[in-house]
Amino acid sequence: MSNDQATKPSAKKATLLRAVLYARVSSDDRGKDGRNLKSQLDMCREYALKQGYSIIAELAEDDRGASGASFELPQLSNVLAMAERGEYDVLVVRELDRLSRNLAKQLIVEEELRYYTVLIEYVLADYDDTPEGHLQKHIRATVAEYEREKIKERCLRGKRNAVRNGKVLLYNEPPYGYRLSEDGELVVHEPEAEIIRLIFQWYTEGDENGERLSAVKIARKLTEMNVLTWTDARTQNKIKKRRGSGEWAQATIGQFLRNEMYIGKWHYGQWSNGKMNPREQWIEVQVPAIIDENTWLAAREQACKNTTTARRNVAHNYLMRYRVACNCGYSMQCKVCYRGKDHVYLYYHCPSMEFDMVKGKCNTPHFRVDQVDAAIWEWLKGWLQNPGELERKLQIYKTERERANAPILAFLNTNENLLRENQAQLKRLLDLYLAGDFDKDLLLERKKRLEDVVAKLEQERKRLMAQLEQNGLGDTGIEEIITFAHRLSQGLEEAEVSFEARRRIIELLDVHIVLTVEDGERVVYPSFILGEEQDQTRLTLTRCNRSLRA
């Protein structure tokens, strides 16, 4: 039994210690002796019973592709939550790398459990609560982390070698226009290949009337023809779709027109960690072509022409651009109408008005941009012209976000404490080195190990900070809103005149609107981060002299 166990509080000695067993298996160690969940739990159970513990829970974690370095594992979260509630005294794990294969994560988890006076005992190892024991544990965690990276590198190298030998590795079913043969080779599926050729012909040469079609019009035309999409042909209605059968999207057509696979070039290694790699790092594999290279190049040239000649509505100011939804569920688009040289009218309109979609043609009329934007800004000014109430609401919002972020903040706090502790140890090592009281080689080895720990903790800190920044409005944004509100309440004209300033406030407060018609009136339903569902705001726009259909 470790010294950790010897140092537990006397109150716990007088009672039977409660134990939780934790086992984790990942994709790289399924099937290995002693690594499957049942074997791990059996060993932990035998150990706990020998120690005389009362087992209150057995938690088995099958990460199904998640990393052992991740905190987002449900059973590990359960381990920490139960510790916080004081439901057990000892966590029993088979070995160190079952808890984590990342040194920073292991240190944070152990520190969290230690804070709640929970002991950690490993069946296959005994780590004393001494500098030597901590060193041994850090070395074992570092080896586990190295093994994880080695496994990843070995798998990646195996895949790259297979690709260099002409193997096409698909993470999903073959793309539109292809199928897999019985021997696993990629072959052209002629019914879909004909649609691909037709798409390129419409885009580069034109349809039966000689009109070159845009991606939007091609999607509309295929929808009218009720051509089955990639999903339609493969799922057979086994999953719920956003669109109905035979409903094509502009984005899908754009992907087809850019895909080099249709000229016989498939690439491996285009992306890693969410970023596109330089083209020289890609590995090209020849596959059966559906169109010739000249047709593909003509499509690329046509796309460039469309980009440079298209009229862009962003030349005008739309306060709620990308933040408007139609009552039918679709995002509304911005539209400009010119009536003579001096009359320009801007509208928000539903794209499904122009062609039949899953639900049929939408009957929502166009909404004048000046009326909608003015109504939203006047509504928002009601909040902004009362800085005291706005600040109170923002503080409530901040408190709610902090409560939601509490687990991340706890990890971050533990991380920073460990970081300060290890940085202080580094400083003490420097003092010992300068004093010359210890062996130089021993100090250098200790220094390198501490530097590695500090580097990993700093990396984990950056990741946690980035996660917090993504989880809502921060202190800087709140201060910016309050400052703007004070300027507006004091009658400073520039606060309201500047479109950029108003748009910035819209973005900070994450304002979205839904447009609809009720009882013959155009109606706006706004929402933002401070809104309350039970008190939904309803704004009625001024009637136009023209029909609502206008």
Side-chain angles (χ1 to χ4, degrees), residues 418-471:
L418 290 168
L419 193 56
R420 283 193 295 269
E421 179 184 334
N422 282 274
Q423 287 171 338
Q425 290 185 41
L426 268 175
K427 185 177 182 303
R428 287 195 295 271
L429 275 181
L430 179 60
D431 295 336
L432 291 172
Y433 176 78
L434 294 175
D437 295 334
F438 286 85
D439 179 75
K440 178 180 177 181
D441 291 338
L442 181 63
L443 289 175
L444 289 176
E445 186 278 335
R446 171 72 173 165
K447 175 176 176 291
K448 185 179 185 308
R449 184 168 61 82
L450 285 172
E451 286 175 341
D452 290 341
V453 171
V454 167
K456 289 179 171 59
L457 288 170
E458 287 177 339
Q459 184 179 3
E460 185 62 23
R461 182 180 181 277
K462 289 180 181 178
R463 192 190 69 80
L464 292 170
M465 290 293 291
Q467 191 171 348
L468 284 174
E469 290 176 0
Q470 294 174 359
N471 286 357

Side-chain angles (χ1 to χ4, degrees), residues 78-332:
N78 197 13
V79 165
L80 296 172
M82 292 175 67
E84 184 178 2
R85 295 192 297 267
E87 295 179 2
Y88 69 103
D89 309 304
V90 184
L91 179 68
V92 179
V93 187
R94 180 183 185 273
E95 55 188 323
L96 200 64
D97 65 354
R98 296 302 88 199
L99 183 64
S100 171
R101 280 183 169 173
N102 177 277
L103 178 58
K105 174 189 170 183
Q106 177 236 327
L107 292 173
I108 292 174
V109 171
E110 287 194 353
E111 187 69 18
E112 284 287 294
L113 294 174
R114 188 179 297 113
Y115 176 79
Y116 297 118
T117 69
V118 172
L119 309 175
I120 306 177
E121 296 187 6
Y122 301 100
V123 176
L124 299 182
D126 189 17
Y127 303 107
D128 295 333
D129 189 15
T130 62
E132 292 78 10
H134 296 165
L135 173 61
Q136 184 182 5
K137 186 184 294 184
H138 288 180
I139 291 174
R140 183 67 188 90
T142 303
V143 170
E145 188 169 356
Y146 165 74
E147 289 176 346
R148 177 171 63 91
E149 294 301 321
K150 187 172 64 176
I151 290 169
K152 287 171 57 179
E153 192 276 334
R154 188 184 299 124
C155 292
L156 181 61
R157 187 170 64 249
K159 290 180 180 179
R160 296 182 74 88
N161 289 336
V163 170
R164 289 192 180 98
N165 292 327
K167 181 70 174 177
V168 176
L169 300 178
L170 299 174
Y171 298 99
N172 207 328
E173 291 192 42
Y176 192 85
Y178 293 94
R179 290 290 191 277
L180 287 177
S181 64
E182 292 182 358
D183 57 357
E185 296 296 324
L186 199 67
V187 296
V188 173
H189 182 59
E190 199 55 38
E192 292 180 352
E194 281 299 318
I195 300 299
I196 294 295
R197 297 186 189 104
L198 199 56
I199 289 172
F200 276 87
Q201 180 183 333
W202 287 342
Y203 193 75
T204 59
E205 300 177 13
D207 60 6
E208 63 275 10
N209 299 318
E211 177 189 359
R212 285 196 182 99
L213 303 183
S214 65
V216 173
K217 291 184 177 180
I218 291 174
R220 190 179 307 166
K221 195 174 184 71
L222 291 175
T223 300
E224 292 170 354
M225 294 167 60
N226 197 31
V227 176
L228 293 181
T229 64
W230 184 96
T231 308
D232 296 329
R234 288 159 176 79
T235 61
Q236 297 163 349
N237 299 324
K238 291 181 181 178
I239 62 173
K240 185 178 180 180
K241 295 175 52 188
R242 275 186 65 187
R243 299 173 181 269
S245 178
E247 291 287 345
W248 287 77
Q250 172 190 355
T252 302
I253 304 302
Q255 290 171 2
F256 287 176
L257 294 169
R258 293 189 299 270
N259 195 344
E260 291 185 69
M261 197 167 188
Y262 294 129
I263 56 173
K265 299 178 180 180
W266 177 79
H267 297 100
Y268 175 80
Q270 291 178 282
W271 297 84
S272 61
N273 299 323
K275 296 181 180 179
M276 179 170 281
N277 296 320
R279 193 176 179 93
E280 56 269 20
Q281 296 181 12
W282 301 359
I283 301 176
E284 184 175 299
V285 177
Q286 296 299 313
V287 297
I290 292 178
I291 61 170
D292 60 80
E293 191 164 354
N294 288 336
T295 301
W296 189 84
L297 291 174
R300 294 291 81 228
E301 183 178 353
Q302 186 62 40
C304 292
K305 290 180 181 178
N306 292 347
T307 300
T308 55
T309 59
R311 177 180 293 171
R312 299 296 179 188
N313 288 339
V314 292
H316 303 281
N317 290 335
Y318 299 87
L319 187 64
M320 299 304 299
R321 182 160 55 96
Y322 303 136
R323 296 177 171 273
V324 185
C326 177
N327 187 52
C328 73
Y330 284 91
S331 296
M332 280 192 158

Side-chain angles (χ1 to χ4, degrees), residues 365-402:
H366 292 7
F367 281 68
R368 285 267 298 270
V369 168
D370 56 347
Q371 295 178 350
V372 173
D373 289 359
I376 288 298
W377 186 244
E378 286 300 316
W379 164 75
L380 202 55
K381 279 169 61 179
W383 290 86
L384 297 173
Q385 289 177 331
N386 187 353
E389 177 64 13
L390 179 63
E391 187 170 357
R392 187 183 70 82
K393 283 283 188 179
L394 285 169
Q395 291 303 324
I396 293 174
Y397 166 81
K398 181 181 176 182
T399 301
E400 292 173 349
R401 294 308 307 160
E402 288 176 348

